[in-house]
Amino acid sequence: MPPGWLPSRPNGGWAYRDRIPPAAAGMGVVAFYAGRYGHTSAAAWERRLADGEISRNGMPLRADAVLVGGDRLVWQRPPWPEPAVPAHWEVIHDDGDLLVIDKPSGLPVLAAGGFLEHTVLRLLERRHGDDPAGVPRPVHRLGRFTSGLLVCARRPATRAWLSAQLRESTGSRASGASGGVVGGVGGGVPPCRKLYRALLVPGRLALAAGDSLAITTPIGRRPHPPLGEIWCAAEAGDPAALAAHSQLTLLESGGEADLVEVAILTGRPHQIRIHCAAVGAPLLGDPLYRPGGWARPGGLPGEGGYRLQARWLRLHRPEGSALELEAPAAEGLGTTAEGPAAQDHTDRCSGGPKG
């Protein structure tokens, strides 16, 4: 195992809690769980019930039972082994409150998808549990296999400020609003800007190096086995689709991969992976999204194989000062001429197409 990795080991298990809504009254326990967690079969829930893992209103259940509105169900999931993950990162910025790290690919940010202890949050809690200033906690998410800049903060007020800045700036972009951030963050504050780099399947973009392409494919939920539903390029006419806007710039083309930089002006789930696939150029090695922005049946969002890095970020502190941060280029995501040949970050983040 490489140095700095956490080995695979069992966690302490977890309690999944559900309160039965009035609409589910009259259902059986197995039917409720199989409907709510569609990736698990009714037979699996029957086994968990028989093994005494499920309780209702504090009392263990061993057989199926009819539910009443307001019932409280708890599934006590037994400990399970979590995969090995990289547990070392470089600190990009730390002012005693705001902490920005260069998250490694393969490390989840928060508990999800079979991970509970092997996450950035748990590692921060262990490493900073005695910090008088408090534990830095993530303000936003990056996908497990997305590397790069992850913003954390120790003070709850700072986390709330940054979260609102991210939310309101992307919301104003999605709705077509102009100007600065509005609402809880205060008018006149420029929105944050984020730049990513990725390797794409080569030869799919009708662009020359330095040219840009605006991508505005809406993102929505579509049926998908075995998860039930998954985020994809939205179906035409989907009233629940989320507006999404990315700006893709081709940095270098090659026989094995095309290197691109993507500015995201909205923060939708899996936006870069979906948008690149939507224009016919999926991320190289992406096991889930195929040309058109749809998901492969059986593929899962947490599977790796692609290269994506949160490379550059500009945000604003509560007192109004701007902070610009850049992570070192991840392996395979640097250009042959990072200096004079690279476009100015501010220009790339500011809006319209350049090609």
Side-chain angles (χ1 to χ4, degrees):
M1 182 177 299
W5 278 60
L6 281 177
S8 176
R9 58 192 179 197
N11 55 38
W14 187 252
Y16 293 81
R17 305 177 186 277
D18 288 284
R19 186 169 185 178
I20 303 304
M27 294 182 67
V29 173
V30 170
F32 171 79
Y33 274 121
R36 180 166 177 76
Y37 303 102
H39 55 282
T40 303
S41 68
W45 288 112
E46 288 174 353
R47 290 193 298 271
R48 291 167 180 172
L49 188 61
D51 290 341
E53 296 177 9
I54 299 173
S55 63
R56 179 176 66 170
N57 301 328
M59 299 297 293
L61 289 174
R62 290 279 182 175
D64 208 348
V66 176
L67 295 170
V68 176
D71 276 349
R72 297 179 182 273
L73 291 181
V74 177
W75 170 41
Q76 184 62 54
R77 184 180 180 181
W80 70 92
E82 297 187 33
V85 295
H88 173 76
W89 55 67
E90 298 295 329
V91 173
I92 302 297
H93 174 86
D94 190 356
D95 60 15
D97 179 13
L98 189 65
L99 172 70
V100 182
I101 66 171
D102 185 5
K103 185 189 84 70
S105 174
L107 177 63
V109 175
L110 301 175
F115 288 90
L116 181 61
E117 298 295 334
H118 288 191
T119 66
V120 171
L121 177 58
R122 282 287 197 265
L123 291 171
L124 288 171
E125 289 173 342
R126 294 171 199 155
R127 296 175 186 181
H128 296 271
D130 296 328
D131 189 340
V135 175
R137 301 179 185 275
V139 174
H140 61 106
R141 292 187 184 223
L142 292 177
R144 179 187 170 193
F145 289 98
T146 302
S147 64
L149 299 174
L150 178 69
V151 180
C152 310
R154 294 174 173 86
R155 297 177 57 238
T158 304
R159 290 197 298 272
W161 164 270
L162 293 172
S163 178
Q165 186 182 155
L166 290 164
R167 181 178 64 251
E168 293 179 9
S169 63
T170 56
S172 65
R173 290 284 180 176
S175 63
S178 60
V181 180
V182 295
V185 181
V189 178
C192 65
R193 294 285 187 267
K194 294 180 282 186
L195 281 176
Y196 291 73
R197 284 195 179 177
L199 294 180
L200 306 188
V201 174
R204 304 290 183 87
L205 296 171
L207 300 174
D211 288 351
S212 296
L213 172 67
I215 308 173
T216 57
T217 303
I219 293 175
R221 304 282 286 177
R222 288 194 178 198
H224 178 265
L227 296 181
E229 285 188 329
I230 199 169
W231 293 103
C232 297
E235 296 186 73
D238 180 0
L242 303 175
H245 188 170
S246 301
Q247 184 82 10
L248 180 152
T249 300
L250 178 63
L251 297 182
E252 292 181 351
S253 57
E256 297 183 357
D258 285 344
L259 175 64
V260 300
E261 195 155 63
V262 184
I264 59 169
L265 306 180
T266 51
R268 306 309 184 193
H270 311 302
Q271 178 172 322
I272 292 175
R273 296 170 66 185
I274 294 171
H275 268 184
C276 290
V279 297
L283 270 64
L284 185 69
D286 192 332
L288 180 59
Y289 292 107
R290 56 189 178 184
W294 305 310
R296 292 181 174 87
L300 298 174
E303 295 175 335
Y306 57 88
R307 303 300 300 276
L308 178 62
Q309 182 188 24
R311 178 69 184 279
W312 183 88
L313 172 71
R314 182 175 69 228
L315 51 80
H316 294 262
R317 297 183 177 92
E319 71 274 11
S321 61
L323 181 65
E324 294 189 5
L325 300 167
E326 184 169 7
E331 183 179 357
L333 294 175
T335 66
T336 55
E338 286 284 355
Q343 292 175 294
D344 178 76
H345 285 302
T346 303
D347 291 342
R348 282 203 300 271
C349 283
S350 62
K354 298 176 180 60

